[in-house]
Amino acid sequence: MTTNPTPENFKSKADLLNRFGKAASQHNWLLTLLGLCQAAVTISFAWLVATLLDAAIFAEQASPPTTADWLVLTALLVIRPILSYLQSWVGNQASIKVRAEIRRFTLEQCFSLNISLFPSFNVAELSNLLTTEINSLREYYSEFIAQKRLAVMMPIAILIAASTVNWLVPLILALTAPLIPLFMILVGRKAAAASQENLQQLNRLGNLLADRLKNLQPIQQAGTVEREASQLYQQSDHFRSSTMRVLRLAFLSGTLLEFFSAISVALVAVYLGLFFLDKYQLGSWSNDLSLAEGVFLLMLAPEFYLPLRRMGSLYHAKMDAESVADHLMQLNNLVAENRHYHRQVTVEKLQKFELIGVQSGDKEHLIHHPISFRLRPGEKLLLNGPSGSGKTTLLDTLAGLHSLPKGEIVVNNQPLLLHQQPSWWSQIGYMPQKPELFFSTIRDNLCLGRAFSEAELYSALTDARADKMVRDLPGELDYQISDSGGYLSGGQAQRIALARVFLHQPRLLLLDEPTANLDADTALAFLQQLQLFCNRGGMVIMASHRPAERRFFTKEVAMQALRNRHD
């Protein structure tokens, strides 16, 4: 799987759905052909039944059906369900193929964006997109696309067949046919809005559930389990209500389609009844109409509306598909924006780091006053300031996680845009306030895919004052931890994160309150190891609230928040 795909130039949601549909274009044409064969079988069956009834009841010399008639009738009855089964099978194959292609596209875009996915998308939204939402495209690609063609071709075939014996019945059918798509569109617009709201409610429920599961232990400690459970119940009830609204609209749509098709069939039946009662001779090519022709027309009338009704019942699939396409468009546009905004730069070995008038936040809402400083190998800078002054946001920006709205970052005397630049990430180490660990062993969390000897691993753990802790764990380096450091205390997780930073020997360390969960002795030992890191030519930018740590740094920047701004 490629991890650097080119974003597609989708003009609209319909264009996106059609592009993916091309992966199963042969299946769709086969579905159309099978549908036309069904129409031919239906017309043949109607004519055969009509002629047999006429011969058995109305003819001057009534004659029962022959063996050949029964064989043909049986063959037609058998062929029709076989064609229906083949349509269903081919449609499912088409849907499976297209949905696999959409999942591949989605995963490629996610891998190419990497951390840039957030905060535009979160884990729950991506999970819903890759499972529930893409699965909801099944009916769209298995039935709706082919049914759009059949809703035109099959009624035309029936009109042609009916017009061979009468011109008024085809006219009645043609004039009443637009009522079905008209009301289908009117109800469909409401259904589209309801479907979009339903997906939003599903995403909100997923986000809420993921957040509460992630923070289950603090919730239990705070004694707010019942209150949080009540919130989950309320959100699940909102999702239930929105789902029921979608189902009500689908039921209303089906009822309207049945109502108008029934009225249209009734018009044909009334016309034929009055014709046979000799109330008029209008509509027949020969001013006469046999029983066979009348039965033939009456049997064709409901079949004429069947493809339109079927498309109407599938219209909700189109609405669901457009909702999914909207999310896929957002993902694709996010890839395009990142490609347009970011050009890959090569950062040479870091020797000098300088900020000139830098302000972080977003373009509309800057957080702190302009910051300027210069840093060389061996120097240590303290970011000092009250809560809400933007220390964390500034460190995120320096780490390349956020774009720089104002100011200039100079690396080795060259102004650079560091947002989402892998060559920059390879030279820095960043430890946020809450350590980011993943569900695996301590060894994997330290190595991050690179190869290190046990001696190197334990040397880094010693620098972080975590070697004894790891040796006391069952399995030592192979001890399994959960994401965000589960099965470890906050201080232990922080030491693992510090050891990882020391292990990879970056040129610049960005530390956000690294001693917050450490006792005084461990914090002092950590600063001593940090001094050794700087003695080897490393640079440190660290945010801290501890007054005792100020004398450790060679430089200090006092940060001030802009008015009405908070971290």
Side-chain angles (χ1 to χ4, degrees), residues 20 29 97 158 162 204 285 289 311 433-434 468 560:
F20 284 117
W29 282 112
K97 187 174 183 179
I158 291 174
R204 288 171 186 167
W285 295 110
L289 200 66
M311 190 179 72
Q433 289 181 3
K434 187 175 181 181
K468 184 178 184 303
Q560 295 180 351

Side-chain angles (χ1 to χ4, degrees), residues 125-236:
E125 287 175 333
L126 289 174
S127 176
N128 286 336
L129 177 60
L130 287 166
T131 55
T132 305
E133 293 188 37
I134 292 180
N135 282 339
S136 70
L137 296 172
R138 187 187 68 82
E139 284 190 338
Y140 179 81
Y141 285 110
S142 65
E143 299 183 57
F144 182 81
I145 292 179
Q147 195 62 36
K148 281 195 303 182
R149 300 192 187 104
L150 294 175
V152 176
M153 295 180 179
M154 291 178 72
I156 290 176
I158 291 174
L159 286 177
I160 293 172
S163 64
T164 60
V165 298
N166 187 281
W167 59 265
L168 186 57
V169 169
L171 184 62
I172 293 173
L173 297 177
L175 291 176
T176 56
L179 291 174
I180 293 179
L182 174 63
F183 282 91
M184 179 182 68
I185 291 171
L186 292 177
V187 177
R189 289 180 178 176
K190 289 287 185 181
S195 179
Q196 183 68 32
E197 181 188 358
N198 186 245
L199 284 177
Q200 290 176 354
Q201 293 293 343
L202 177 61
N203 284 331
R204 288 171 186 167
L205 179 61
N207 292 338
L208 185 64
L209 182 61
D211 180 72
R212 296 307 182 264
L213 288 175
K214 186 176 182 179
N215 297 282
L216 185 59
Q217 186 175 0
I219 290 172
Q220 290 173 330
Q221 292 173 348
T224 59
V225 174
E226 291 185 1
R227 188 178 67 184
E228 297 300 334
S230 177
Q231 287 186 358
L232 275 171
Y233 174 79
Q234 291 176 6
Q235 184 57 45
S236 65

Side-chain angles (χ1 to χ4, degrees), residues 446 453-467 471 477 498-499 502-503 505 529 536:
L446 291 173
S453 65
E454 287 209 5
E456 292 173 314
L457 294 175
Y458 275 108
S459 175
L461 289 168
T462 301
D463 290 344
R465 290 296 187 265
D467 55 322
R471 293 185 190 278
L477 289 169
L498 286 171
F502 288 137
L503 179 65
Q505 290 294 309
Q529 294 301 320
R536 293 194 293 263

